[in-house]
mmCIF file of all heavy atoms in Angstrom:
data_model
loop_
_atom_site.group_PDB
_atom_site.id
_atom_site.type_symbol
_atom_site.label_atom_id
_atom_site.label_comp_id
_atom_site.label_asym_id
_atom_site.label_seq_id
_atom_site.Cartn_x
_atom_site.Cartn_y
_atom_site.Cartn_z
ATOM 1 N N SER A 1 104.991 65.781 20.204
ATOM 2 C CA SER A 1 104.492 64.712 21.074
ATOM 3 C C SER A 1 103.069 64.979 21.548
ATOM 4 O O SER A 1 102.393 64.067 22.039
ATOM 5 C CB SER A 1 105.418 64.545 22.285
ATOM 6 O OG SER A 1 105.311 65.655 23.173
ATOM 7 N N LYS A 2 102.598 66.204 21.407
ATOM 8 C CA LYS A 2 101.248 66.558 21.863
ATOM 9 C C LYS A 2 100.178 66.327 20.789
ATOM 10 O O LYS A 2 98.991 66.482 21.063
ATOM 11 C CB LYS A 2 101.220 68.021 22.301
ATOM 12 C CG LYS A 2 102.265 68.383 23.353
ATOM 13 C CD LYS A 2 102.075 67.574 24.617
ATOM 14 C CE LYS A 2 103.176 67.833 25.633
ATOM 15 N NZ LYS A 2 103.195 69.214 26.122
ATOM 16 N N LEU A 3 100.577 65.963 19.589
ATOM 17 C CA LEU A 3 99.612 65.759 18.510
ATOM 18 C C LEU A 3 98.924 64.406 18.649
ATOM 19 O O LEU A 3 99.556 63.398 18.957
ATOM 20 C CB LEU A 3 100.313 65.848 17.155
ATOM 21 C CG LEU A 3 101.006 67.171 16.820
ATOM 22 C CD1 LEU A 3 101.646 67.085 15.439
ATOM 23 C CD2 LEU A 3 100.018 68.333 16.883
ATOM 24 N N ARG A 4 97.619 64.386 18.406
ATOM 25 C CA ARG A 4 96.823 63.163 18.491
ATOM 26 C C ARG A 4 95.968 63.029 17.230
ATOM 27 O O ARG A 4 95.374 64.007 16.771
ATOM 28 C CB ARG A 4 95.882 63.196 19.705
ATOM 29 C CG ARG A 4 96.575 63.431 21.040
ATOM 30 C CD ARG A 4 97.301 62.178 21.510
ATOM 31 N NE ARG A 4 97.861 62.386 22.844
ATOM 32 C CZ ARG A 4 99.078 62.879 23.088
ATOM 33 N NH1 ARG A 4 99.850 63.238 22.067
ATOM 34 N NH2 ARG A 4 99.516 63.020 24.319
ATOM 35 N N ASP A 5 95.863 61.810 16.705
ATOM 36 C CA ASP A 5 94.937 61.574 15.601
ATOM 37 C C ASP A 5 93.501 61.742 16.073
ATOM 38 O O ASP A 5 92.643 62.234 15.348
ATOM 39 C CB ASP A 5 95.144 60.171 15.022
ATOM 40 C CG ASP A 5 96.475 60.023 14.305
ATOM 41 O OD1 ASP A 5 96.980 61.048 13.784
ATOM 42 O OD2 ASP A 5 97.012 58.908 14.277
ATOM 43 N N ARG A 6 93.227 61.287 17.304
ATOM 44 C CA ARG A 6 91.919 61.462 17.934
ATOM 45 C C ARG A 6 92.164 62.005 19.337
ATOM 46 O O ARG A 6 93.042 61.515 20.051
ATOM 47 C CB ARG A 6 91.147 60.146 17.998
ATOM 48 C CG ARG A 6 90.896 59.519 16.642
ATOM 49 C CD ARG A 6 90.113 58.227 16.776
ATOM 50 N NE ARG A 6 88.740 58.473 17.218
ATOM 51 C CZ ARG A 6 87.901 57.500 17.601
ATOM 52 N NH1 ARG A 6 88.318 56.226 17.610
ATOM 53 N NH2 ARG A 6 86.670 57.792 17.970
ATOM 54 N N LEU A 7 91.398 62.990 19.732
ATOM 55 C CA LEU A 7 91.641 63.641 21.008
ATOM 56 C C LEU A 7 91.476 62.657 22.168
ATOM 57 O O LEU A 7 90.519 61.885 22.218
ATOM 58 C CB LEU A 7 90.668 64.807 21.184
ATOM 59 C CG LEU A 7 91.045 65.813 22.282
ATOM 60 C CD1 LEU A 7 92.346 66.530 21.943
ATOM 61 C CD2 LEU A 7 89.916 66.845 22.469
ATOM 62 N N GLY A 8 92.417 62.689 23.078
ATOM 63 C CA GLY A 8 92.373 61.828 24.249
ATOM 64 C C GLY A 8 93.438 62.244 25.239
ATOM 65 O O GLY A 8 94.359 62.994 24.906
ATOM 66 N N GLY A 9 93.299 61.756 26.464
ATOM 67 C CA GLY A 9 94.247 62.094 27.506
ATOM 68 C C GLY A 9 93.520 62.408 28.804
ATOM 69 O O GLY A 9 92.314 62.155 28.945
ATOM 70 N N VAL A 10 94.246 62.958 29.729
ATOM 71 C CA VAL A 10 93.669 63.320 31.025
ATOM 72 C C VAL A 10 92.961 64.666 30.896
ATOM 73 O O VAL A 10 93.586 65.670 30.553
ATOM 74 C CB VAL A 10 94.754 63.390 32.113
ATOM 75 C CG1 VAL A 10 94.159 63.894 33.428
ATOM 76 C CG2 VAL A 10 95.388 62.024 32.312
ATOM 77 N N VAL A 11 91.656 64.664 31.161
ATOM 78 C CA VAL A 11 90.856 65.883 31.101
ATOM 79 C C VAL A 11 90.668 66.418 32.522
ATOM 80 O O VAL A 11 90.030 65.769 33.344
ATOM 81 C CB VAL A 11 89.484 65.626 30.452
ATOM 82 C CG1 VAL A 11 88.634 66.898 30.480
ATOM 83 C CG2 VAL A 11 89.658 65.134 29.021
ATOM 84 N N PRO A 12 91.227 67.591 32.832
ATOM 85 C CA PRO A 12 91.039 68.167 34.150
ATOM 86 C C PRO A 12 89.739 68.965 34.221
ATOM 87 O O PRO A 12 89.293 69.538 33.233
ATOM 88 C CB PRO A 12 92.254 69.089 34.313
ATOM 89 C CG PRO A 12 92.599 69.483 32.919
ATOM 90 C CD PRO A 12 92.169 68.366 32.011
ATOM 91 N N VAL A 13 89.142 68.973 35.405
ATOM 92 C CA VAL A 13 87.916 69.722 35.649
ATOM 93 C C VAL A 13 88.100 70.485 36.949
ATOM 94 O O VAL A 13 88.517 69.913 37.959
ATOM 95 C CB VAL A 13 86.699 68.774 35.753
ATOM 96 C CG1 VAL A 13 85.449 69.550 36.104
ATOM 97 C CG2 VAL A 13 86.493 68.017 34.449
ATOM 98 N N GLU A 14 87.822 71.786 36.914
ATOM 99 C CA GLU A 14 87.893 72.582 38.135
ATOM 100 C C GLU A 14 86.546 72.517 38.833
ATOM 101 O O GLU A 14 85.500 72.779 38.230
ATOM 102 C CB GLU A 14 88.272 74.032 37.821
ATOM 103 C CG GLU A 14 88.504 74.870 39.069
ATOM 104 C CD GLU A 14 89.267 76.161 38.807
ATOM 105 O OE1 GLU A 14 89.963 76.243 37.783
ATOM 106 O OE2 GLU A 14 89.156 77.074 39.647
ATOM 107 N N VAL A 15 86.565 72.142 40.114
ATOM 108 C CA VAL A 15 85.324 71.941 40.868
ATOM 109 C C VAL A 15 85.358 72.738 42.164
ATOM 110 O O VAL A 15 86.421 72.936 42.768
ATOM 111 C CB VAL A 15 85.103 70.445 41.193
ATOM 112 C CG1 VAL A 15 84.955 69.638 39.917
ATOM 113 C CG2 VAL A 15 86.250 69.879 42.032
ATOM 114 N N VAL A 16 84.178 73.200 42.600
ATOM 115 C CA VAL A 16 84.090 73.857 43.898
ATOM 116 C C VAL A 16 84.187 72.795 44.985
ATOM 117 O O VAL A 16 83.871 71.615 44.764
ATOM 118 C CB VAL A 16 82.789 74.671 44.042
ATOM 119 C CG1 VAL A 16 82.735 75.791 43.017
ATOM 120 C CG2 VAL A 16 81.557 73.767 43.911
ATOM 121 N N ARG A 17 84.619 73.208 46.160
ATOM 122 C CA ARG A 17 84.828 72.241 47.242
ATOM 123 C C ARG A 17 83.508 71.732 47.820
ATOM 124 O O ARG A 17 83.405 70.572 48.206
ATOM 125 C CB ARG A 17 85.664 72.884 48.350
ATOM 126 C CG ARG A 17 87.015 73.393 47.867
ATOM 127 C CD ARG A 17 87.855 73.882 49.029
ATOM 128 N NE ARG A 17 89.040 74.605 48.577
ATOM 129 C CZ ARG A 17 90.062 74.918 49.362
ATOM 130 N NH1 ARG A 17 90.033 74.595 50.651
ATOM 131 N NH2 ARG A 17 91.101 75.578 48.882
ATOM 132 N N PHE A 18 82.505 72.596 47.873
ATOM 133 C CA PHE A 18 81.227 72.206 48.459
ATOM 134 C C PHE A 18 80.597 71.070 47.649
ATOM 135 O O PHE A 18 80.479 71.152 46.433
ATOM 136 C CB PHE A 18 80.267 73.402 48.487
ATOM 137 C CG PHE A 18 78.899 73.062 49.017
ATOM 138 C CD1 PHE A 18 78.683 72.889 50.379
ATOM 139 C CD2 PHE A 18 77.836 72.890 48.145
ATOM 140 C CE1 PHE A 18 77.429 72.556 50.868
ATOM 141 C CE2 PHE A 18 76.579 72.569 48.623
ATOM 142 C CZ PHE A 18 76.373 72.397 49.985
ATOM 143 N N GLY A 19 80.227 70.006 48.330
ATOM 144 C CA GLY A 19 79.567 68.885 47.665
ATOM 145 C C GLY A 19 80.439 68.128 46.705
ATOM 146 O O GLY A 19 79.934 67.510 45.759
ATOM 147 N N VAL A 20 81.750 68.108 46.935
ATOM 148 C CA VAL A 20 82.667 67.530 45.951
ATOM 149 C C VAL A 20 82.428 66.037 45.746
ATOM 150 O O VAL A 20 82.593 65.525 44.634
ATOM 151 C CB VAL A 20 84.136 67.812 46.330
ATOM 152 C CG1 VAL A 20 84.546 67.032 47.580
ATOM 153 C CG2 VAL A 20 85.063 67.507 45.163
ATOM 154 N N ALA A 21 82.019 65.317 46.770
ATOM 155 C CA ALA A 21 81.766 63.881 46.607
ATOM 156 C C ALA A 21 80.639 63.650 45.594
ATOM 157 O O ALA A 21 80.723 62.757 44.743
ATOM 158 C CB ALA A 21 81.413 63.253 47.954
ATOM 159 N N SER A 22 79.598 64.464 45.676
ATOM 160 C CA SER A 22 78.500 64.357 44.718
ATOM 161 C C SER A 22 78.960 64.751 43.312
ATOM 162 O O SER A 22 78.591 64.105 42.322
ATOM 163 C CB SER A 22 77.336 65.249 45.158
ATOM 164 O OG SER A 22 76.296 65.234 44.197
ATOM 165 N N THR A 23 79.773 65.801 43.238
ATOM 166 C CA THR A 23 80.285 66.239 41.936
ATOM 167 C C THR A 23 81.127 65.148 41.294
ATOM 168 O O THR A 23 80.993 64.862 40.087
ATOM 169 C CB THR A 23 81.115 67.522 42.092
ATOM 170 O OG1 THR A 23 80.306 68.537 42.695
ATOM 171 C CG2 THR A 23 81.602 68.023 40.745
ATOM 172 N N LEU A 24 81.974 64.486 42.079
ATOM 173 C CA LEU A 24 82.803 63.411 41.543
ATOM 174 C C LEU A 24 81.941 62.244 41.060
ATOM 175 O O LEU A 24 82.226 61.639 40.020
ATOM 176 C CB LEU A 24 83.797 62.934 42.602
ATOM 177 C CG LEU A 24 84.962 63.878 42.914
ATOM 178 C CD1 LEU A 24 85.737 63.378 44.123
ATOM 179 C CD2 LEU A 24 85.892 64.019 41.715
ATOM 180 N N ARG A 25 80.870 61.938 41.797
ATOM 181 C CA ARG A 25 79.978 60.856 41.368
ATOM 182 C C ARG A 25 79.370 61.165 40.008
ATOM 183 O O ARG A 25 79.315 60.299 39.116
ATOM 184 C CB ARG A 25 78.879 60.652 42.413
ATOM 185 C CG ARG A 25 77.834 59.607 42.001
ATOM 186 C CD ARG A 25 76.778 59.428 43.081
ATOM 187 N NE ARG A 25 76.102 60.678 43.378
ATOM 188 C CZ ARG A 25 75.114 61.185 42.648
ATOM 189 N NH1 ARG A 25 74.698 60.564 41.552
ATOM 190 N NH2 ARG A 25 74.531 62.320 42.992
ATOM 191 N N LEU A 26 78.935 62.409 39.818
ATOM 192 C CA LEU A 26 78.352 62.797 38.540
ATOM 193 C C LEU A 26 79.399 62.818 37.424
ATOM 194 O O LEU A 26 79.121 62.447 36.282
ATOM 195 C CB LEU A 26 77.686 64.166 38.672
ATOM 196 C CG LEU A 26 76.449 64.207 39.577
ATOM 197 C CD1 LEU A 26 76.000 65.642 39.812
ATOM 198 C CD2 LEU A 26 75.322 63.378 38.979
ATOM 199 N N LEU A 27 80.619 63.236 37.757
ATOM 200 C CA LEU A 27 81.690 63.231 36.769
ATOM 201 C C LEU A 27 81.979 61.815 36.280
ATOM 202 O O LEU A 27 82.234 61.586 35.090
ATOM 203 C CB LEU A 27 82.959 63.857 37.350
ATOM 204 C CG LEU A 27 82.988 65.378 37.455
ATOM 205 C CD1 LEU A 27 84.185 65.834 38.275
ATOM 206 C CD2 LEU A 27 83.039 66.012 36.066
ATOM 207 N N ARG A 28 81.919 60.855 37.188
ATOM 208 C CA ARG A 28 82.220 59.471 36.811
ATOM 209 C C ARG A 28 81.166 58.886 35.887
ATOM 210 O O ARG A 28 81.426 57.901 35.194
ATOM 211 C CB ARG A 28 82.381 58.629 38.082
ATOM 212 C CG ARG A 28 83.658 58.978 38.844
ATOM 213 C CD ARG A 28 83.688 58.422 40.241
ATOM 214 N NE ARG A 28 84.893 58.897 40.951
ATOM 215 C CZ ARG A 28 84.969 59.057 42.271
ATOM 216 N NH1 ARG A 28 83.907 58.792 43.033
ATOM 217 N NH2 ARG A 28 86.077 59.493 42.823
ATOM 218 N N GLU A 29 80.008 59.496 35.834
ATOM 219 C CA GLU A 29 78.963 59.032 34.926
ATOM 220 C C GLU A 29 79.286 59.371 33.466
ATOM 221 O O GLU A 29 78.604 58.899 32.557
ATOM 222 C CB GLU A 29 77.618 59.638 35.326
ATOM 223 C CG GLU A 29 77.084 59.087 36.643
ATOM 224 C CD GLU A 29 75.743 59.689 37.050
ATOM 225 O OE1 GLU A 29 75.200 60.511 36.277
ATOM 226 O OE2 GLU A 29 75.248 59.345 38.139
ATOM 227 N N THR A 30 80.327 60.159 33.244
ATOM 228 C CA THR A 30 80.743 60.446 31.862
ATOM 229 C C THR A 30 81.541 59.294 31.267
ATOM 230 O O THR A 30 81.860 59.321 30.073
ATOM 231 C CB THR A 30 81.600 61.725 31.807
ATOM 232 O OG1 THR A 30 82.822 61.521 32.546
ATOM 233 C CG2 THR A 30 80.842 62.912 32.385
ATOM 234 N N GLY A 31 81.890 58.304 32.104
ATOM 235 C CA GLY A 31 82.532 57.116 31.557
ATOM 236 C C GLY A 31 83.937 56.842 32.018
ATOM 237 O O GLY A 31 84.568 55.898 31.530
ATOM 238 N N THR A 32 84.441 57.621 32.950
ATOM 239 C CA THR A 32 85.785 57.350 33.463
ATOM 240 C C THR A 32 85.873 57.754 34.924
ATOM 241 O O THR A 32 85.032 58.508 35.429
ATOM 242 C CB THR A 32 86.862 58.097 32.638
ATOM 243 O OG1 THR A 32 88.151 57.543 32.918
ATOM 244 C CG2 THR A 32 86.880 59.572 32.940
ATOM 245 N N GLY A 33 86.879 57.253 35.617
ATOM 246 C CA GLY A 33 86.989 57.447 37.057
ATOM 247 C C GLY A 33 87.679 58.738 37.454
ATOM 248 O O GLY A 33 88.887 58.755 37.713
ATOM 249 N N PHE A 34 86.940 59.815 37.498
ATOM 250 C CA PHE A 34 87.507 61.092 37.918
ATOM 251 C C PHE A 34 87.953 61.007 39.386
ATOM 252 O O PHE A 34 87.230 60.488 40.241
ATOM 253 C CB PHE A 34 86.483 62.215 37.774
ATOM 254 C CG PHE A 34 86.443 62.821 36.401
ATOM 255 C CD1 PHE A 34 85.615 62.297 35.419
ATOM 256 C CD2 PHE A 34 87.239 63.916 36.096
ATOM 257 C CE1 PHE A 34 85.575 62.865 34.150
ATOM 258 C CE2 PHE A 34 87.209 64.486 34.832
ATOM 259 C CZ PHE A 34 86.372 63.952 33.853
ATOM 260 N N VAL A 35 89.135 61.532 39.667
ATOM 261 C CA VAL A 35 89.663 61.590 41.032
ATOM 262 C C VAL A 35 90.258 62.971 41.269
ATOM 263 O O VAL A 35 90.686 63.648 40.336
ATOM 264 C CB VAL A 35 90.746 60.516 41.278
ATOM 265 C CG1 VAL A 35 90.159 59.121 41.172
ATOM 266 C CG2 VAL A 35 91.905 60.676 40.301
ATOM 267 N N LEU A 36 90.281 63.387 42.518
ATOM 268 C CA LEU A 36 90.892 64.665 42.855
ATOM 269 C C LEU A 36 92.392 64.606 42.624
ATOM 270 O O LEU A 36 93.051 63.619 42.975
ATOM 271 C CB LEU A 36 90.617 65.029 44.310
ATOM 272 C CG LEU A 36 89.201 65.450 44.679
ATOM 273 C CD1 LEU A 36 89.126 65.756 46.178
ATOM 274 C CD2 LEU A 36 88.771 66.680 43.878
ATOM 275 N N ARG A 37 92.933 65.653 42.028
ATOM 276 C CA ARG A 37 94.380 65.770 41.877
ATOM 277 C C ARG A 37 94.983 66.157 43.218
ATOM 278 O O ARG A 37 94.458 67.044 43.913
ATOM 279 C CB ARG A 37 94.728 66.811 40.822
ATOM 280 C CG ARG A 37 96.217 66.876 40.496
ATOM 281 C CD ARG A 37 96.538 67.978 39.507
ATOM 282 N NE ARG A 37 95.792 67.828 38.241
ATOM 283 C CZ ARG A 37 95.924 68.661 37.220
ATOM 284 N NH1 ARG A 37 96.748 69.711 37.323
ATOM 285 N NH2 ARG A 37 95.227 68.471 36.110
ATOM 286 N N ARG A 38 96.077 65.540 43.584
ATOM 287 C CA ARG A 38 96.688 65.809 44.886
ATOM 288 C C ARG A 38 98.147 66.228 44.737
ATOM 289 O O ARG A 38 98.825 65.834 43.783
ATOM 290 C CB ARG A 38 96.564 64.588 45.806
ATOM 291 C CG ARG A 38 95.099 64.234 46.092
ATOM 292 C CD ARG A 38 94.923 63.131 47.097
ATOM 293 N NE ARG A 38 93.505 62.842 47.324
ATOM 294 C CZ ARG A 38 92.733 63.490 48.190
ATOM 295 N NH1 ARG A 38 93.265 64.449 48.953
ATOM 296 N NH2 ARG A 38 91.455 63.186 48.331
ATOM 297 N N ASP A 39 98.599 67.027 45.694
ATOM 298 C CA ASP A 39 99.980 67.498 45.690
ATOM 299 C C ASP A 39 100.876 66.451 46.344
ATOM 300 O O ASP A 39 100.392 65.400 46.803
ATOM 301 C CB ASP A 39 100.081 68.868 46.374
ATOM 302 C CG ASP A 39 99.724 68.830 47.853
ATOM 303 O OD1 ASP A 39 99.771 67.731 48.469
ATOM 304 O OD2 ASP A 39 99.405 69.893 48.402
ATOM 305 N N PRO A 40 102.199 66.679 46.397
ATOM 306 C CA PRO A 40 103.103 65.672 46.973
ATOM 307 C C PRO A 40 102.802 65.333 48.436
ATOM 308 O O PRO A 40 103.199 64.267 48.917
ATOM 309 C CB PRO A 40 104.483 66.336 46.836
ATOM 310 C CG PRO A 40 104.343 67.217 45.638
ATOM 311 C CD PRO A 40 102.955 67.767 45.730
ATOM 312 N N ARG A 41 102.102 66.200 49.154
ATOM 313 C CA ARG A 41 101.735 65.918 50.545
ATOM 314 C C ARG A 41 100.427 65.150 50.657
ATOM 315 O O ARG A 41 99.980 64.834 51.757
ATOM 316 C CB ARG A 41 101.622 67.220 51.335
ATOM 317 C CG ARG A 41 102.907 68.048 51.398
ATOM 318 C CD ARG A 41 102.630 69.401 52.029
ATOM 319 N NE ARG A 41 101.644 70.144 51.232
ATOM 320 C CZ ARG A 41 100.979 71.205 51.680
ATOM 321 N NH1 ARG A 41 101.186 71.643 52.910
ATOM 322 N NH2 ARG A 41 100.110 71.812 50.893
ATOM 323 N N GLY A 42 99.807 64.885 49.500
ATOM 324 C CA GLY A 42 98.550 64.165 49.519
ATOM 325 C C GLY A 42 97.328 65.039 49.673
ATOM 326 O O GLY A 42 96.209 64.530 49.802
ATOM 327 N N GLN A 43 97.519 66.354 49.616
ATOM 328 C CA GLN A 43 96.409 67.281 49.753
ATOM 329 C C GLN A 43 95.853 67.650 48.378
ATOM 330 O O GLN A 43 96.589 67.667 47.394
ATOM 331 C CB GLN A 43 96.870 68.550 50.477
ATOM 332 C CG GLN A 43 97.380 68.313 51.890
ATOM 333 C CD GLN A 43 96.318 67.684 52.770
ATOM 334 O OE1 GLN A 43 95.191 68.167 52.852
ATOM 335 N NE2 GLN A 43 96.687 66.582 53.416
ATOM 336 N N PRO A 44 94.536 67.949 48.282
ATOM 337 C CA PRO A 44 93.982 68.352 46.999
ATOM 338 C C PRO A 44 94.685 69.584 46.442
ATOM 339 O O PRO A 44 94.989 70.534 47.177
ATOM 340 C CB PRO A 44 92.518 68.662 47.329
ATOM 341 C CG PRO A 44 92.224 67.847 48.548
ATOM 342 C CD PRO A 44 93.501 67.859 49.338
ATOM 343 N N VAL A 45 94.976 69.562 45.140
ATOM 344 C CA VAL A 45 95.580 70.715 44.480
ATOM 345 C C VAL A 45 94.559 71.852 44.455
ATOM 346 O O VAL A 45 93.392 71.649 44.089
ATOM 347 C CB VAL A 45 96.022 70.351 43.048
ATOM 348 C CG1 VAL A 45 96.400 71.594 42.258
ATOM 349 C CG2 VAL A 45 97.198 69.378 43.102
ATOM 350 N N VAL A 46 94.999 73.043 44.837
ATOM 351 C CA VAL A 46 94.125 74.215 44.895
ATOM 352 C C VAL A 46 94.470 75.140 43.729
ATOM 353 O O VAL A 46 95.637 75.475 43.507
ATOM 354 C CB VAL A 46 94.289 74.966 46.238
ATOM 355 C CG1 VAL A 46 93.379 76.200 46.272
ATOM 356 C CG2 VAL A 46 93.967 74.037 47.398
ATOM 357 N N THR A 47 93.452 75.548 42.985
ATOM 358 C CA THR A 47 93.668 76.447 41.853
ATOM 359 C C THR A 47 93.831 77.886 42.335
ATOM 360 O O THR A 47 93.614 78.205 43.506
ATOM 361 C CB THR A 47 92.482 76.389 40.879
ATOM 362 O OG1 THR A 47 91.352 77.022 41.486
ATOM 363 C CG2 THR A 47 92.143 74.959 40.511
ATOM 364 N N ASP A 48 94.175 78.766 41.392
ATOM 365 C CA ASP A 48 94.283 80.191 41.713
ATOM 366 C C ASP A 48 92.947 80.760 42.175
ATOM 367 O O ASP A 48 92.903 81.813 42.812
ATOM 368 C CB ASP A 48 94.758 80.977 40.488
ATOM 369 C CG ASP A 48 96.215 80.704 40.153
ATOM 370 O OD1 ASP A 48 96.967 80.353 41.072
ATOM 371 O OD2 ASP A 48 96.588 80.827 38.980
#
C-alpha cells in the first residue's frame, strides 16, 4: 500500500519553535498549506 507510481503524500518538516509563523509562511510558498501537527489535546507535536 506504500508504493506510488509518482511520489506524493504528506511531507513532514521538523522546524524550530522560534519564528515558526515565518517558517510556515515560507513553507507554504512551496505550493501547499503546511500546518503544525498537533496531538489529541491540540498542542503542537514535539519531536525527540
Side-chain angles (χ1 to χ4, degrees):
S1 70
K2 305 300 175 64
L3 300 180
R4 304 285 185 271
D5 292 332
R6 301 181 69 190
L7 196 65
V10 175
V11 176
V13 176
E14 186 163 339
V15 298
V16 297
R17 302 186 191 193
F18 177 76
V20 69
S22 176
T23 302
L24 287 171
R25 176 179 58 81
L26 293 171
L27 283 170
R28 290 166 185 152
E29 291 180 2
T30 64
T32 196
F34 274 89
V35 296
L36 288 179
R37 187 183 302 181
R38 298 186 180 274
D39 64 21
R41 300 172 299 164
Q43 299 301 309
V45 169
V46 179
T47 71
D48 289 333

